[in-house]
């Protein structure tokens, strides 16, 4: 099950600023842990419902597991997250440099 991370620490762990619309993440190889930085929209919507971020589709997708082959080249860097339509797993996409 997904574990909540202190909101003041998650941006530093992921290595990116929270985005308005996009969920970001980071697979930390030394910890064998994937962290999700939820979008501003997600945080606001979940909070308005009186729930926590474990109710988000991205958290639930993380609970389904990840495909290590897909993540292998994208560990230890911030990535844009998507959810696999086929398996419901959390999927990384390399972020463009600013």
């Amino acid at each position: 099950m997904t574990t909540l991370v202190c909101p003041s620490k998650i941006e530093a762990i992921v290595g990116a600023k929270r985005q308005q619309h996009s969920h970001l993440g980071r697979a930390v190889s030394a910890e064998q842990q994937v962290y999700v930085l939820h979008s501003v929209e997600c945080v606001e919507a979940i909070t308005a419902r009186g729930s926590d971020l474990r109710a988000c589709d991205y958290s639930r997708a993380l609970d389904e597991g990840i495909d290590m082959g897909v993540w292998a080249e994208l560990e230890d860097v911030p990535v844009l997250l998507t959810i696999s339509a086929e398996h419901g797993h959390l999927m990384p996409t390399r972020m463009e440099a600013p």
Side-chain angles (χ1 to χ4, degrees):
M1 175 153 187
T2 301
T3 303
L4 297 175
V5 175
C6 178
S8 65
K9 295 181 180 179
I10 190 67
E11 288 181 350
I13 292 169
V14 172
K17 294 287 185 189
R18 191 177 306 274
Q19 302 293 303
Q20 184 66 31
H21 308 289
S22 300
H23 283 69
L24 306 178
R26 183 183 202 113
V28 178
S29 60
E31 299 174 20
Q32 295 188 337
Q33 180 75 35
V34 176
Y35 293 91
V36 175
L37 177 59
H38 296 268
S39 69
V40 171
E41 286 178 343
C42 176
V43 171
E44 290 173 351
I46 297 283
T47 302
R49 291 195 315 246
S51 191
D52 68 46
L53 294 171
R54 291 173 289 199
C56 171
D57 290 342
Y58 286 82
S59 293
R60 285 187 258 148
L62 180 56
D63 287 343
E64 293 297 318
I66 64 168
D67 180 340
M68 291 301 293
V70 173
W71 282 83
E73 298 293 320
L74 294 171
E75 289 181 308
D76 302 314
V77 296
V79 294
L80 179 63
L81 298 175
T82 60
I83 299 172
S84 163
E86 184 177 347
H87 300 290
H89 293 160
L90 203 60
M91 303 286 289
T93 303
R94 189 172 303 279
M95 291 176 46
E96 298 294 323

